[in-house]
Amino acid sequence: MDAMPSLDASTLTNRQAPWDSFDAEAYLKHNYRSLRADDRQILSAVRDHFAAHFAGRSLPGAGLRGIDVGAGTNLYPALAMLPWCGSITLFERAGGNVRWLRSAVQDYGANWDEFWEVLRRQPAYLTVVEPRTRLAGAVEVVQGDLFTDLPERAADIGTMFFVAESLSAAYVEYRGAIDHFAAALRPGAPFAVAFMENSLGYEVGDHTFPACKIQRSDVLAGLQEYAADDLKVSHIDVPGSQPLRDGYTGMLLALGRLRD
């Protein structure tokens, strides 16, 4: 029998990608088994952004609603929102990731302690005495397609990490993902959105997944319609000996708040 032809990540749309076969454990081990230098930079910047936005406001269990769109096997966006949220929705499409999330949030692994230590350097996070317990009590994992199932104006704070550019090779779907993310936030909500710059696609286990090749100008074009004037987009260099995938030139981090 002839071998199945490999998928071309440069042409795959979101519906064509094999999300039902996404290997959660393989992605976790490759990306988050320990804290990378680029993730440390991102996490520090997101921490400071949220802390500055909420400076002087009430903290523990403040009752705000958070959302992380396309959570995958990454818990650090949810941890970054924890001091201000009474509830956090982890919104995810791939079934394997949903199952991993539902298990992990009940008592997350020791690898995430290193990420929490970065957050604790900002005093706001010291109000969360037991992050495992707080996360387990706050999180709801919701399976759905962000193009059709994402609730509108539902969150007071939001994150979307390595999703918009990593679900399709089509630019229109990249922009659509940003549109739907922005629609899920309430006016004035602070947000953090991270992207792979110039990614051409990626392998997870035995499967190929698409990416849209974007640069800083594309991030600005996607977010400026929705963001207040203090939107900031920063470049994070690829660590010299630790590239995550072939064919990308770093990460981009957008920090801002939804326009009132």
Side-chain angles (χ1 to χ4, degrees):
M1 181 181 293
D2 293 338
M4 291 288 290
S6 60
L7 296 174
D8 183 357
S10 68
T11 62
L12 281 179
T13 66
N14 183 53
R15 291 189 179 278
Q16 292 172 324
W19 300 113
D20 290 341
S21 300
F22 196 96
D23 189 331
E25 289 295 335
Y27 194 81
L28 174 71
K29 290 177 181 177
H30 183 65
N31 290 272
Y32 303 118
R33 62 189 170 193
S34 61
L35 178 58
R36 295 165 46 89
D38 41 15
D39 279 326
R40 181 185 294 274
Q41 292 181 65
I42 290 172
L43 189 56
S44 298
V46 173
R47 171 199 69 195
D48 294 345
H49 171 60
F50 288 155
H53 178 85
F54 291 112
R57 308 184 193 187
S58 60
L59 281 173
L64 298 184
R65 298 180 63 182
I67 191 166
D68 182 32
V69 176
T73 57
N74 183 5
L75 293 183
Y76 79 68
L79 292 171
M81 293 186 279
L82 199 53
W84 302 280
C85 291
S87 65
I88 300 174
T89 297
L90 301 186
F91 191 90
E92 171 60 38
R93 175 175 177 171
N97 288 341
V98 169
R99 291 188 291 274
W100 181 89
L101 286 166
R102 287 176 175 161
S103 174
V105 298
Q106 297 307 310
D107 186 18
Y108 60 74
N111 59 306
W112 297 105
D113 291 338
E114 192 175 8
F115 294 78
W116 183 252
E117 284 303 310
V118 175
L119 294 171
R120 288 183 74 251
R121 295 175 187 173
Q122 163 54 245
Y125 292 85
L126 298 177
T127 65
V128 181
V129 179
E130 295 289 347
R132 280 180 173 80
T133 302
R134 275 285 299 278
L135 193 73
V139 162
E140 178 186 16
V141 179
V142 174
Q143 185 170 15
D145 184 329
L146 72 84
F147 292 109
T148 58
D149 304 323
L150 199 61
E152 293 189 3
R153 298 293 178 257
D156 304 294
I157 177 174
T159 55
M160 183 169 67
F161 278 39
F162 313 116
V163 174
E165 82 294 359
S166 298
L167 52 74
S168 171
Y171 188 81
V172 66
E173 291 193 296
Y174 156 74
R175 287 293 295 266
I178 293 177
D179 294 341
H180 284 278
F181 172 72
L185 301 179
R186 292 175 178 157
F191 62 78
V193 190
F195 308 83
M196 290 286 185
E197 181 187 55
N198 289 319
S199 178
L200 301 176
Y202 55 108
E203 305 289 330
V204 181
D206 298 326
H207 296 277
T208 299
F209 292 87
C212 182
K213 185 177 180 181
I214 62 158
Q215 299 176 343
R216 184 175 184 273
S217 59
D218 299 302
V219 174
L220 289 169
L223 287 170
Q224 279 181 327
E225 177 181 349
Y226 305 107
D229 292 341
D230 54 356
L231 175 67
K232 180 181 179 182
V233 179
S234 302
H235 184 269
I236 310 293
D237 290 332
V238 179
S241 60
Q242 290 184 298
L244 277 171
R245 60 179 75 163
D246 294 333
Y248 80 108
T249 55
M251 299 176 182
L252 296 165
L253 177 64
L255 301 174
R257 57 188 173 88
L258 201 71
R259 186 175 298 149
D260 291 329

